[in-house]
């Protein structure tokens, strides 16, 4: 699919995606990739980018979009914008309703809900990907997410590391890939806005009050004081080579 007036903007994102795919060998011929689509800017841009890249990328692959509805407040979420985008792109779409929000907030009453929520969502996504006969799952973590996770691990756990750009899950026989890891959040946001993607707002009660949000604000302040601060951190992670982040 061609994005007409927005073609230049999507091409910038395609450059980041292709670079990640080549540096970390994320996509191989014949891959069936389940794209986790929350409805947020990152996952929508990832889905559109991977769809567009099929036109020229040297490896041939198929896509299947999967959305998990945690059902916050016990109500079904409205993901019709995601369904519309998938229809426009010609990508199969699966919407899975879950009781994750009820487990996390009502039954377990978690004081720090993000960890358990993420664990339950991962499990549900992995199962849905297998049910769709996919061998890989693409997640929409951007470059800022990488840096934030690195800082959180350093400050909170006293270790140098981050999630990997590519991980094999032997128990599920699935490979997780993160094609947006070179794309800065502002570039992703710009692409989302200029292409008119309809973002599904998260009604999560913990949204914007998490440890990650505090780290995001800290990094934004440091970047304003010292331009290039975040990219130096990212460079340090790559030079260290922890968690498969080393250079080829």
């Amino acid at each position: 699919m061609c994005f007409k007036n927005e073609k230049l903007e999507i091409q910038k994102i395609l450059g980041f995606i292709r670079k990640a795919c080549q540096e970390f060998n994320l996509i191989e011929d014949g891959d069936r990739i389940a794209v986790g689509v929350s409805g947020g800017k990152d996952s929508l841009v990832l889905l559109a980018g991977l769809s567009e890249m099929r036109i020229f990328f040297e490896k041939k692959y198929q896509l299947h979009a999967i959305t998990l509805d945690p059902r916050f407040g016990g109500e079904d979420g409205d993901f019709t914008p995601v369904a519309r985008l998938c229809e426009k792109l010609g990508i199969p779409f699966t919407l899975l309703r879950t009781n994750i929000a009820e487990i996390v907030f009502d039954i377990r009453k978690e004081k720090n809900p993000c960890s358990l929520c993420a664990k339950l969502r991962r499990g549900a996504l992995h199962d849905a990907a297998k049910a769709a006969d996919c061998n890989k799952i693409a997640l929409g973590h951007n470059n800022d997410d990488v840096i934030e996770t690195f800082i959180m691990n350093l400050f909170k756990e006293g270790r140098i590391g981050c999630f990997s750009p590519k991980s094999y899950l032997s128990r599920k026989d699935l490979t997780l890939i993160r094609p947006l890891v070179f794309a800065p959040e502002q570039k992703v946001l710009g692409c989302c806005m200029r292409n008119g993607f309809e973002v599904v707002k998260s009604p999560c009660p913990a949204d914007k009050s998490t440890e990650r949000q505090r780290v995001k604000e800290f990094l934004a302040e440091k970047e304003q004081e010292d331009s290039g601060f975040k990219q130096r951190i990212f460079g340090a992670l790559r030079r260290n080579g922890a968690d498969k982040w080393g250079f080829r």
Side-chain angles (χ1 to χ4, degrees), residues 12-27:
K12 294 177 183 177
I13 294 297
L14 285 171
F16 292 123
I17 293 177
R18 186 169 190 173
K19 179 181 179 182
C21 288
Q22 292 176 334
E23 289 228 11
F24 303 117
N25 192 29
L26 300 185
I27 296 177

Side-chain angles (χ1 to χ4, degrees), residues 195-238:
N195 282 279
F197 296 151
E198 299 176 81
V199 172
V200 178
K201 298 292 185 182
S202 172
C204 175
D207 196 33
K208 304 300 182 184
S209 62
T210 63
E211 180 62 29
R212 180 173 292 276
Q213 180 63 29
R214 288 187 282 273
V215 170
K216 183 185 292 289
E217 292 169 0
F218 163 76
L219 287 170
E221 182 180 340
K222 294 299 293 182
E223 181 69 25
Q224 190 171 19
E225 294 173 357
D226 182 8
S227 179
F229 180 81
K230 291 194 290 186
Q231 281 308 300
R232 289 195 293 274
I233 293 175
F234 184 60
L237 172 61
R238 296 217 65 192

Side-chain angles (χ1 to χ4, degrees), residues 14-15 18 49 52-60:
L14 285 171
R18 186 169 190 173
E52 183 81 357
M53 196 172 74
R54 290 182 297 180
I55 298 172
F56 62 84
F57 194 58
E58 55 269 22
K59 306 291 179 63
K60 302 305 178 184

Side-chain angles (χ1 to χ4, degrees), residues 46-87:
L46 173 63
L47 183 67
L50 287 175
S51 177
E52 183 81 357
M53 196 172 74
R54 290 182 297 180
I55 298 172
F56 62 84
F57 194 58
E58 55 269 22
K59 306 291 179 63
K60 302 305 178 184
Y61 58 93
Q62 299 178 52
L63 299 173
H64 189 118
I66 298 177
T67 294
L68 302 179
D69 179 11
R71 300 189 71 250
F72 292 108
E75 298 182 356
D76 290 350
D78 181 8
F79 294 95
T80 51
V82 179
R84 279 196 292 267
L85 178 60
C86 289
E87 183 178 6

Side-chain angles (χ1 to χ4, degrees), residues 37-40 66-79 95-107 113-114 116-122 124-125 200-206:
V37 185
S38 66
I66 298 177
T67 294
L68 302 179
D69 179 11
R71 300 189 71 250
F72 292 108
E75 298 182 356
D76 290 350
D78 181 8
F79 294 95
L95 173 59
L96 181 62
R97 306 286 187 186
T98 74
N99 61 346
I100 290 176
E102 180 185 11
I103 293 172
V104 173
F105 293 101
D106 300 332
I107 298 175
C114 295
L116 178 60
C117 183
K119 181 179 180 180
L120 295 174
R121 292 176 69 163
R122 281 196 301 269
L125 180 59
V200 178
K201 298 292 185 182
S202 172
C204 175

Side-chain angles (χ1 to χ4, degrees), residues 12-17 19-20 42 45 140-146 178-189 231 234:
K12 294 177 183 177
I13 294 297
L14 285 171
F16 292 123
I17 293 177
K19 179 181 179 182
D42 300 303
V45 168
H141 296 103
N142 60 50
N143 188 249
D144 287 65
D145 293 324
V146 177
R178 295 175 167 91
L180 282 181
V181 289
F182 286 126
E185 185 173 27
Q186 283 300 313
K187 294 291 186 182
V188 176
L189 177 60
Q231 281 308 300
F234 184 60

